[in-house]
C-alpha cells in the first residue's frame, strides 16, 4: 500500500473510531456546581435566621428539615406546577410555621426570605459555587459546534442557579427532575432531554459524577457516558478529573 494511502486510511480510521457527539448533557451538582458536603435545608434555614440576627439552635434546624420533609409531596406538586406564585407560597408557609414552632418572631418572615435569596442565590451564595472549568469547557464545545444541555436531579431552582452563574443560555435544554416527576437514573429523563434538544441518543454524551444516576442511567437511555471525579490526579477512563479533559475524552468513546 503506498504511503499516502496508509496515511489517509489511518486518518479515516481515527475519524470513525472517535465519537464526536453533537450534544453533551451535563449533570449539575458536583459536575458543574459545587454544593457543600454537609449541606441540608435545615442548616441553611439556621444560617439565614442567624444572618438576620435571630438565634436559632441546631435542633431548630433539624425541626425545619423534618417540617420540610413532611411537606415533600406538596413540594413535588409545586415543582410540577411550574408556577412561581405557588413556589413562593410554599416557602413562605414553611418559614412561617417554623418561626412559630421555634418561638422566633413571625415579623421577621420577610427578612428571612430576603436572606434566603441572598445567601442561596446571590453573588456570595453560601450554597453554590461554579467550578472554574465549566465556562472554558462550554466555550470549547461551542467552538466545535457541539450543543450542551443539563439533566439534573434538582428542584425548580436549577434554572435560577444556572442563571445566577450566567450560563443558563448556554444550554439548549435544562431538565430538572422534580419538575418532571422523574429522577435519574430513570432513562426517561435523559430521553426527554435529548428529544427536546432534537438529537438522538447515539449522538449524545452525558457527563456526571454519580455512577448509578449518571453513568448507568445515561447508558440505559442509549447515551455514551463519562464520569467526573475531581479528586483524581488525572483522567482514567471512564473518569475525567476536570471538564478540561473534554473534548479529548471523547476519544475513549466508540
Ligand atoms: Mg451530581
Amino acid at each position: 500500500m503506498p504511503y499516502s494511502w496508509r496515511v489517509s486510511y489511518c486518518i479515516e480510521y481515527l475519524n470513525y473510531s472517535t465519537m464526536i457527539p453533537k450534544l453533551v448533557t451535563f449533570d449539575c451538582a458536583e459536575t458543574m456546581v459545587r454544593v457543600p458536603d454537609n449541606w441540608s435545608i435545615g442548616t441553611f434555614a439556621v444560617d439565614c435566621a442567624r444572618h438576620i440576627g435571630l438565634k436559632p439552635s441546631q435542633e431548630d434546624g433539624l425541626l425545619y428539615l423534618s417540617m420540610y420533609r413532611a411537606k415533600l409531596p406538596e413540594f413535588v406538586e409545586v415543582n410540577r406546577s411550574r408556577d412561581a406564585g405557588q413556589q413562593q407560597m410554599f416557602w413562605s408557609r414553611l418559614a412561617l410555621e417554623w418561626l412559630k414552632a421555634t418561638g422566633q418572631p413571625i415579623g421577621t418572615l420577610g427578612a428571612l426570605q430576603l436572606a434566603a435569596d441572598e445567601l442561596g442565590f446571590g453573588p456570595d451564595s453560601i450554597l453554590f459555587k461554579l467550578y472554574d472549568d465549566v465556562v472554558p469547557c462550554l466555550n470549547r464545545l461551542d467552538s466545535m459546534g457541539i450543543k450542551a444541555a443539563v439533566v439534573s436531579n434538582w428542584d425548580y431552582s436549577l434554572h435560577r442557579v444556572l442563571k445566577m452563574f450566567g450560563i443558563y443560555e448556554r444550554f439548549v435544554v435544562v431538565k430538572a427532575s422534580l419538575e418532571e416527576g422523574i429522577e435519574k437514573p430513570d432513562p426517561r429523563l435523559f430521553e426527554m432531554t435529548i428529544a427536546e434538544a432534537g438529537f438522538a441518543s447515539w449522538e449524545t454524551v452525558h457527563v456526571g459524577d454519580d455512577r448509578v444516576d449518571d453513568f448507568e442511567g445515561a447508558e440505559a437511555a442509549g447515551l455514551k457516558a463519562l464520569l467526573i471525579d475531581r479528586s483524581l490526579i488525572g483522567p482514567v477512563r471512564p473518569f475525567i478529573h476536570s471538564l478540561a479533559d473534554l473534548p479529548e475524552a471523547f476519544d475513549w468513546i466508540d
Side-chain angles (χ1 to χ4, degrees), residues 27-33 151-154 184 207-210 213-214 228:
D27 166 54
C28 189
E30 297 314 315
T31 297
M32 296 192 293
V33 173
V151 188
S152 175
N153 285 351
W154 202 294
K184 294 182 294 185
V207 182
D209 70 303
D210 190 284
D213 290 350
D214 293 304
I228 184 163

Side-chain angles (χ1 to χ4, degrees), residues 4-250:
S4 61
W5 289 14
R6 287 204 303 271
V7 169
S8 68
Y9 174 81
C10 286
I11 290 170
E12 205 161 297
Y13 175 78
L14 285 170
N15 284 340
Y16 283 105
S17 66
T18 299
M19 191 263 191
I20 302 296
K22 293 183 177 172
L23 175 70
V24 176
T25 58
F26 291 91
D27 166 54
C28 189
E30 297 314 315
T31 297
M32 296 192 293
V33 173
R34 186 167 66 78
V35 181
D37 288 341
N38 56 352
W39 182 82
S40 96
I41 202 155
T43 56
F44 182 62
V46 167
D47 288 337
C48 292
R50 289 179 177 165
H51 188 70
I52 60 168
L54 300 178
K55 297 188 176 2
S57 65
Q58 293 302 332
E59 288 69 30
D60 291 337
L62 292 174
L63 178 63
Y64 186 96
L65 177 61
S66 67
M67 292 172 74
Y68 165 76
R69 284 180 173 158
K71 288 179 179 290
L72 267 179
E74 183 189 341
F75 189 54
V76 169
E77 289 310 310
V78 163
N79 273 272
R80 299 298 303 276
S81 76
R82 291 176 164 82
D83 183 308
Q86 283 193 42
Q87 292 159 357
Q88 183 64 30
M89 190 64 71
F90 174 86
W91 294 113
S92 293
R93 279 203 304 268
L94 177 58
L96 184 60
E97 288 170 21
W98 181 63
L99 288 172
K100 285 180 181 171
T102 52
Q104 300 178 93
I106 59 173
T108 58
L109 177 63
L112 188 61
Q113 288 178 304
L114 286 176
D117 277 344
E118 180 189 339
L119 297 182
F121 305 100
D124 298 316
S125 170
I126 61 171
L127 294 185
F128 310 117
K129 293 273 182 286
L130 187 70
Y131 283 111
D132 291 342
D133 52 17
V134 175
V135 171
C137 175
L138 293 173
N139 289 344
R140 285 193 75 186
L141 296 182
D142 198 35
S143 71
M144 297 173 72
I146 299 171
K147 302 293 185 190
V150 181
V151 188
S152 175
N153 285 351
W154 202 294
D155 65 23
Y156 69 88
S157 72
L158 175 65
H159 305 276
R160 190 174 182 186
V161 171
L162 297 175
K163 285 174 185 169
M164 169 176 104
F165 292 124
I167 57 171
Y168 188 75
E169 303 300 330
R170 307 296 299 267
F171 303 105
V172 290
V173 176
V174 172
K175 197 62 74 182
S177 60
L178 268 164
E179 289 184 318
E180 305 301 334
I182 301 169
E183 286 211 320
K184 294 182 294 185
D186 191 321
R188 289 177 297 168
L189 200 63
F190 295 97
E191 290 162 0
M192 292 165 71
T193 306
I194 59 176
E196 210 170 297
F199 294 98
S201 58
W202 51 268
E203 296 174 311
T204 308
V205 171
H206 178 71
V207 182
D209 70 303
D210 190 284
R211 178 173 280 280
V212 174
D213 290 350
D214 293 304
F215 195 84
E216 294 179 12
E219 289 210 324
L223 282 65
K224 303 295 183 185
L226 295 169
L227 282 163
I228 184 163
D229 182 344
R230 295 176 185 279
S231 69
L232 294 175
I233 295 169
V236 185
R237 181 178 182 175
F239 289 95
I240 56 174
H241 85 298
S242 158
L243 293 179
D245 295 333
L246 295 181
E248 282 73 15
F250 295 150

